Amino acid sequence: GQSLEQPSEVTAVEGAIVQINCTYQTSGFYGLSWYQQHDGGAPTFLSYNALDGLEETGRFSSFLSRSDSYGYLLLQELQMKDSASYFCAVEGNTGFQKLVFGTGTRLLVSP
Amino acid sequence: ETGVTQSPTHLIKTRGQQVTLRCSSQSGHNTVSWYQQALGQGPQFIFQYYREEENGRGNFPPRFSGLQFPNYSSELNVNALELDDSALYLCASSLPKGQTGTGELFFGEGSRLTVL
């Protein structure tokens, strides 16, 4: 099976940098994705790592290390609107697009 | 906004009843997946439809079933509702595997089902 663990909650202040970690146990997967979900809203795609290393998309960056079974999402120049839940997810090599999501991290950004 | 719409947004049912949830996928997307999200947890894969056929299923019992129509819209049906079925049901559309390097899913805002 596949399981992904994340810290349940992270707090930070506006303008700061925060890192949300994701450790996983899986036999094989295509890539690691990150999704953001505001309360009452739809999960929205943020980033994807197929290969080891860092992917940068504006204020957000994501990192993957397959050898360490570990990834993280880095959010820079935090804004109040970044307060949301963040999920890492892996797409298994099953032949169809099934995402297995992590436990989720609730980010609270304060003024 | 993703262009994926779901209905109804909220509904309340009692144990043993049946429910049908509907989803219209984003234009051009012929793959639809359904996920169940319990409060405070990550979404869990129920099944996926591609060209009107179920082509993948998660660890859910047969009383969870679905359909995809020629216009790629989809339905999720749940029979014999149980209390544990109370959750947010998310529909996600996507391009077929291989047509996108990221496998990005486009989610709707979900249907919140409460079973009493």
Side-chain angles (χ1 to χ4, degrees):
Chain A
Q2 295 164 317
S3 66
L4 298 92
E5 294 293 325
Q6 301 176 235
S8 58
E9 189 173 289
V10 173
T11 59
V13 297
E14 270 189 304
I17 300 172
V18 72
Q19 179 174 312
I20 298 174
N21 297 321
C22 173
T23 57
Y24 59 83
Q25 290 185 342
T26 178
S27 55
F29 66 99
Y30 287 115
L32 183 72
S33 301
W34 288 90
Y35 284 78
Q36 177 193 62
Q37 186 178 29
H38 287 97
D39 285 348
T44 56
F45 174 84
L46 292 177
S47 188
Y48 178 77
N49 292 74
L51 303 174
D52 283 7
L54 192 68
E55 291 285 339
E56 297 182 73
T57 310
R59 294 189 297 117
F60 296 169
S61 302
S62 59
F63 174 83
L64 174 63
S65 170
R66 288 178 184 264
S67 59
D68 295 323
S69 298
Y70 166 73
Y72 65 74
L73 179 69
L74 191 74
L75 297 87
Q76 302 182 71
E77 301 173 17
L78 280 174
Q79 303 174 10
M80 297 291 289
K81 67 177 182 179
D82 297 329
S83 292
S85 293
Y86 292 83
F87 296 92
C88 59
V90 293
E91 180 189 356
N93 48 3
T94 57
F96 55 91
Q97 290 166 293
K98 169 188 173 181
L99 285 187
V100 176
F101 284 83
T103 51
T105 299
R106 190 169 181 84
L107 171 63
L108 300 173
V109 180
S110 56
Chain B
E1 207 167 292
T2 63
V4 178
T5 58
Q6 294 187 240
S7 63
T9 55
H10 296 81
L11 69 166
I12 300 173
K13 294 284 188 177
T14 56
R15 273 191 309 175
Q17 285 189 311
Q18 177 265 343
V19 68
T20 297
L21 308 178
R22 294 177 176 83
C23 170
S24 293
S25 59
Q26 181 163 318
S27 178
H29 288 181
N30 56 11
T31 302
V32 173
S33 305
W34 287 90
Y35 287 78
Q36 180 196 66
Q37 186 176 26
L39 201 60
Q41 298 185 22
Q44 278 198 295
F45 177 79
I46 303 175
F47 43 55
Q48 180 179 92
Y49 279 83
Y50 172 64
R51 291 186 175 180
E52 304 176 56
E53 297 280 337
E54 183 185 297
N55 72 339
R57 189 176 185 93
N59 190 26
F60 281 81
R63 59 190 185 84
F64 286 77
S65 63
L67 284 172
Q68 188 181 29
F69 301 99
N71 66 354
Y72 305 136
S73 65
S74 179
E75 286 183 355
L76 165 65
N77 299 288
V78 187
N79 294 321
L81 284 167
E82 302 177 358
L83 297 179
D84 284 349
D85 295 334
S86 294
L88 180 69
Y89 288 86
L90 295 163
C91 169
S93 74
S94 59
L95 292 170
K97 194 172 181 61
Q99 288 191 22
T100 168
T102 65
E104 178 180 353
L105 297 183
F106 295 80
F107 283 90
E109 295 196 346
S111 295
R112 184 162 296 283
L113 171 65
T114 301
V115 182
L116 302 176

